[in-house]
Amino acid sequence: MHNTRYKTVGLFILASLSICVVLVFWLVNYQGSQQSVRVISPIPVAGLVERSTVFYRGLRVGTVTKIQLNPTLPTEIWIDLDVSKDLEVTDAFYATLNLAGVTGSTNIELDVNEAKNNPVVATEIMLQRSFVDDIESEVAQLVTRIDKIAASFQPLAVQLQRETIPSLNRLIESLSETSQNFNDLIKDVEANPRELIFGRGKSPAEKKK
């Protein structure tokens, strides 16, 4: 019975050691296949978190490992990436933020400026504004313009309420009174058409008599 227990403990220790060895080899191979790249961002990176995915033209190539402020320039953000060594990152590379449609998470998208001549290997690249960022900026500016236009019309609205509307009300009342007088005149004409033509005097036929 003791031998069985010893065998069980021995097998457990052996299995644990095997798992540790495999894990160490995996970590060594993983680290050997990755390279560190720093993305420098002069713009906000809302929604981006550590472990966010890094893509290169739609293919997954790495992850975000750290996000921090530049200690000497607080308006700048440093985003550290672990990227596959199969991807040769040069100074022609740039990064943008990409919003995933289903999950709503923010990822890093890498791309290359093919117009750049003689690119060299680089460990730092810049984050540029994406198409989505431009749309959001345009919408924000449009909302600001609308607010300014609405504010400029406010004094006119106050004046309209204080002066123009009462004047219109008086005009409507005057038109209503005129209309009533005209209706009364029409009724008088329909009741006494002779008076409208000959006045209150006698008609020519009555004078001959």
Side-chain angles (χ1 to χ4, degrees):
M1 183 173 179
H2 289 289
N3 291 335
T4 304
R5 183 180 299 175
Y6 292 148
K7 288 180 181 179
T8 303
V9 173
L11 289 174
F12 177 76
I13 294 173
L14 183 62
S16 300
L17 289 175
S18 300
I19 293 173
C20 289
V21 170
V22 171
L23 183 60
V24 168
F25 273 107
W26 180 83
L27 288 174
V28 170
N29 291 332
Y30 176 79
Q31 292 176 351
S33 63
Q34 299 295 108
Q35 59 179 321
S36 296
V37 177
R38 172 164 288 174
V39 177
I40 300 174
S41 173
I43 60 176
V45 293
L48 190 68
V49 296
E50 294 181 7
R51 308 305 301 172
S52 290
T53 307
V54 180
F55 293 93
Y56 172 68
R57 297 187 174 182
L59 297 177
R60 181 172 181 170
V61 294
T63 57
V64 176
T65 58
K66 191 175 183 180
I67 303 173
Q68 62 179 332
L69 290 175
N70 181 342
T72 59
L73 186 61
T75 57
E76 224 173 50
I77 301 172
W78 288 349
I79 308 165
D80 294 335
L81 315 178
D82 268 352
V83 180
S84 171
K85 280 189 175 180
D86 294 335
L87 182 65
E88 185 179 16
V89 179
T90 68
D91 58 355
F93 273 63
Y94 64 91
T96 57
L97 295 180
N98 182 35
L99 184 64
V102 177
T103 62
S105 59
T106 302
N107 300 317
I108 292 283
E109 183 78 29
L110 303 179
D111 210 334
V112 180
N113 179 9
E114 296 179 351
K116 186 175 180 60
N117 296 322
N118 303 319
V120 295
V121 175
T123 57
E124 292 185 351
I125 60 177
M126 294 297 299
L127 182 73
Q128 298 182 2
R129 298 186 67 87
S130 64
F131 177 70
V132 174
D133 293 327
D134 292 336
I135 292 178
E136 290 179 349
S137 177
E138 289 294 330
V139 170
Q141 292 178 14
L142 180 60
V143 170
T144 301
R145 293 193 192 104
I146 292 174
D147 289 340
K148 288 181 178 179
I149 292 173
S152 66
F153 273 106
Q154 188 173 2
L156 180 61
V158 172
Q159 182 181 4
L160 183 66
Q161 185 177 4
R162 288 180 179 176
E163 300 178 6
T164 308
I165 292 180
S167 299
L168 287 174
N169 288 335
R170 288 193 295 270
L171 177 61
I172 292 171
E173 290 175 359
S174 177
L175 290 174
S176 178
E177 184 179 350
T178 302
S179 175
Q180 184 62 42
N181 293 336
F182 186 73
N183 288 336
D184 292 341
L185 178 61
I186 294 297
K187 290 179 181 178
D188 291 341
V189 170
E190 291 176 348
N192 303 295
R194 186 179 64 80
E195 290 186 4
L196 178 65
I197 300 173
F198 303 108
R200 294 188 178 274
K202 296 182 177 179
S203 65
E206 290 175 340
K207 289 180 180 180
K208 287 181 180 180
K209 291 180 179 180

